[in-house]
Amino acid sequence: MEAYCHRMGFPLERGDVVLCAVSGGVDSMALLHLLWRWSQWEDFALTAATFDHGLRETAAEDVDFVCSWCRERDIPVRTGRGDVPARVRETGETTEEAARVLRYAFLEDCAEVLGADWVATAHQAEDNAETVLLHLLRGSGLRGLGGIPPRRGKLIRPLLEVTRQELTVYARDNGVSWREDESNCDTAYTRNFVRHQVMPLLQERNPNLVSALGRTAESLRLDEECLSGLAQEQGALLLRQEPEGMSVSIDDLLDQPEAVALRLVQQMAETVRPGAVLPWEQRRRLLTLAAGEDPSAQCDLTAGLRGLRVYERLIVTEKKAADCKIEPVELAPEKAVVLSSLGLSVTCRVCICPERPEAGSLYLRPPEGALLLRPRQPGDRIQLPGQCRKRLKKLLIEQKIPRERREQCLVLEAEGQVVAVLGLGTDTNWISQPGSGAWQIMIQNQDRKERN
């Protein structure tokens, strides 16, 4: 185990703080015993962490067992409890998924409190082989077929080259007791089905199946690391932060090898929503969006994300709640209107039109009657200086305003006409001349972020 840890880049050294995840089963109890012995000569700090998922009546007894075992050896232990069935009802996740999310959240909290350098889990060689088969059953790319990664940040798996039988023999030889989880025999869980029914059949044909799948996983993991590294390098050069999210030039994206392009769009999603993982078919859909002929196409993605084709660029952005529906509102002198969903405030005041207009202001000749601020409507037309009168929709398309922004376009209406479009300009017939009376419309950003 020590040699493996050094080879994988996480040597446990003097002064380190190590958190060991312990369920009470043979694998985790063997790992805890190994780390306890190692800590005695290497002098790193060891703490155990055990979690009750709220799934079994005997789970509390498992926690008590771990605590008692640690107490006899002066090993600090932290305990936690979650409600997996409640999370399943809330999120629709499978029981296995919900349990994993709650367990790792508990370990992260413990690690943060302790200031842990490493968090060790007892995944071993059979776990790794089963994981490869599970991903193969579900359909996966290199990331999934690479099996359980030896390390992910602080999270380490020191036992990935050790078999379950070796750990069982070690525990017996060293007087390490453990508890059996009765749910491990329930083949209703997919992993247990693979473990108890699929693996034995395959091992009849290849007794060395576990080590063979381990070698395959390591090879694919190295390929994945190489391709992801290339995508990271290209991402640093090509990806750009936009007000809406992350964007990339269509030409630059499609010039990449497809394996790199698929990882680039995944990188975009992770940047917008940390932890988001796009299924393979959604990453392919984004590339299809980029290669298509529609310059304003879009598609919904998982994790609350959306893909947008905005002319020559592809954007991954967060979905907006109801996409900022704005109700019409009347503007009056010395009255400010706050549009919190857009982060804007609009103020109207009576003034004399200056020779040099203030930035962010429109100067209109005073209307007869109400001045209305409202969303764009079908049929709206405007005549900007130096242009003929056009439908607003056509004008926005000519200006290459993205569809998302077109939906949020706001106009000023007076006397039944569109007199101005915020961010675009004022109708020729409504522009106030310097020195004459005017209504000044001031548009300000509440959040001080740049907006177009």
Side-chain angles (χ1 to χ4, degrees):
M1 183 175 73
E2 181 180 8
Y4 180 77
C5 290
H6 279 268
R7 192 170 86 246
M8 290 296 113
F10 44 87
L12 307 187
E13 300 172 325
R14 183 182 302 274
D16 283 353
V17 178
V18 180
L19 182 70
C20 180
V22 188
S23 66
V26 63
D27 298 343
S28 64
M29 291 303 298
L31 174 63
L32 181 59
H33 189 268
L34 281 161
L35 291 175
W36 174 61
R37 289 176 60 190
W38 191 358
S39 70
Q40 290 175 325
W41 72 70
E42 193 61 51
D43 195 24
F44 57 76
L46 176 65
T47 297
T50 184
F51 187 71
D52 177 356
H53 297 86
L55 287 170
R56 298 179 293 113
E57 294 181 0
T58 57
E61 298 175 11
D62 295 344
V63 171
D64 291 341
F65 164 76
V66 173
C67 290
S68 177
W69 196 93
C70 290
R71 192 162 47 246
E72 292 173 2
R73 292 157 183 81
D74 294 324
I75 301 173
V77 60
R78 303 186 70 86
T79 63
R81 192 179 191 282
D83 190 342
V84 171
R87 181 176 176 87
V88 169
R89 291 192 296 271
E90 178 183 343
T91 65
E93 297 168 335
T94 66
T95 298
E96 294 158 291
E97 291 170 339
R100 183 170 57 251
V101 169
L102 293 178
R103 180 170 63 253
Y104 279 105
F106 163 69
L107 291 174
E108 288 177 9
D109 289 343
C110 290
E112 184 176 353
V113 171
L114 292 171
D117 298 289
W118 308 108
V119 179
T121 68
H123 294 95
Q124 31 77 352
E126 276 92 347
D127 292 325
N128 196 27
E130 292 159 9
T131 298
V132 174
L133 290 178
L134 284 168
H135 283 294
L136 193 60
L137 285 171
R138 295 165 181 157
S140 175
L142 290 183
R143 181 182 294 188
L145 296 179
I148 302 173
R151 174 183 175 183
R152 183 171 289 156
K154 292 182 177 182
L155 192 67
I156 58 175
R157 279 78 179 230
L159 301 177
L160 281 183
E161 290 188 343
V162 183
T163 67
R164 184 175 292 118
Q165 182 181 3
E166 288 174 313
L167 290 170
T168 303
V169 170
Y170 173 86
R172 286 173 178 161
D173 287 350
N174 289 276
V176 180
S177 54
W178 68 86
R179 288 177 62 83
E180 296 289 350
D181 180 349
E182 62 272 18
S183 66
N184 285 340
C185 296
D186 185 356
T187 54
Y189 296 109
T190 306
R191 180 174 288 275
N192 289 342
F193 171 75
V194 169
R195 176 177 301 169
H196 297 298
Q197 297 192 25
V198 177
M199 291 283 288
L201 286 173
L202 294 176
Q203 285 171 313
E204 289 180 8
R205 293 299 180 101
N206 182 2
N208 297 316
L209 177 69
V210 171
S211 59
L213 288 176
R215 290 192 302 272
T216 299
E218 183 174 7
S219 175
L220 295 178
R221 179 173 54 80
L222 292 175
D223 290 348
E224 168 62 22
E225 289 176 357
C226 177
L227 288 169
S228 293
L230 290 174
Q232 288 288 338
E233 291 175 4
Q234 291 301 308
L237 296 173
L238 304 179
L239 301 187
R240 192 171 78 192
Q241 183 72 56
E242 305 277 2
E244 298 93 337
M246 293 300 296
S247 83
V248 64
S249 160
I250 297 292
D251 289 341
D252 287 340
L253 179 65
L254 298 181
D255 280 345
Q256 302 300 315
E258 187 169 333
V260 174
L262 288 168
R263 286 164 173 80
L264 276 176
V265 294
Q266 169 59 37
Q267 188 179 328
M268 294 167 70
E270 288 176 349
T271 304
V272 175
R273 180 70 62 85
V277 177
L278 298 183
W280 184 87
E281 61 271 12
Q282 292 191 6
R283 285 179 275 151
R284 286 284 313 139
R285 193 181 307 159
L286 285 171
L287 296 190
T288 301
L289 202 73
E293 297 182 357
D294 186 348
S296 298
Q298 58 181 282
C299 65
D300 287 336
L301 307 170
T302 56
L305 298 174
R306 177 174 293 163
L308 308 174
R309 168 76 185 273
V310 182
Y311 298 97
E312 293 84 16
R313 299 194 72 80
L314 179 73
I315 299 177
V316 174
T317 183
E318 291 186 284
K319 294 177 185 175
K320 303 292 192 304
D323 279 337
C324 304
K325 297 295 183 182
I326 304 298
E327 296 296 328
V329 60
E330 183 177 337
L331 296 182
E334 310 308 324
K335 177 184 176 183
V337 172
V338 177
L339 307 174
S340 55
S341 59
L342 295 178
L344 297 176
S345 65
V346 182
T347 306
C348 175
R349 75 180 183 93
V350 177
C351 69
I352 300 299
C353 182
E355 289 287 340
R356 295 183 177 180
E358 291 183 25
S361 291
L362 302 174
Y363 293 88
L364 311 178
R365 63 176 175 84
E368 295 180 5
L371 180 63
L372 194 66
L373 177 68
R374 62 165 175 79
R376 174 175 70 94
Q377 296 176 354
D380 282 343
R381 294 176 179 270
I382 189 171
Q383 182 177 1
L384 296 178
Q387 300 185 32
C388 61
R389 183 169 295 278
K390 295 181 180 180
R391 287 187 299 114
L392 182 51
K393 178 180 179 180
K394 181 178 181 181
L395 188 61
L396 293 171
I397 292 174
E398 289 176 352
Q399 295 287 327
K400 294 190 174 181
I401 305 298
R403 178 182 292 179
E404 289 278 298
R405 294 181 188 168
R406 297 204 299 265
E407 297 304 318
Q408 298 176 5
C409 180
L410 298 177
V411 306
L412 294 171
E413 177 188 310
E415 301 173 16
Q417 304 173 30
V418 173
V419 301
V421 179
L422 268 61
L424 202 60
T426 306
D427 187 284
T428 301
N429 298 317
W430 283 87
I431 296 176
S432 180
Q433 300 303 311
S436 62
W439 279 21
Q440 180 186 8
I441 311 300
M442 294 169 284
I443 308 160
Q444 296 177 316
N445 297 309
Q446 289 182 298
D447 54 9
R448 299 182 180 275
K449 291 181 180 177
E450 181 181 353
R451 292 177 182 268
N452 293 325

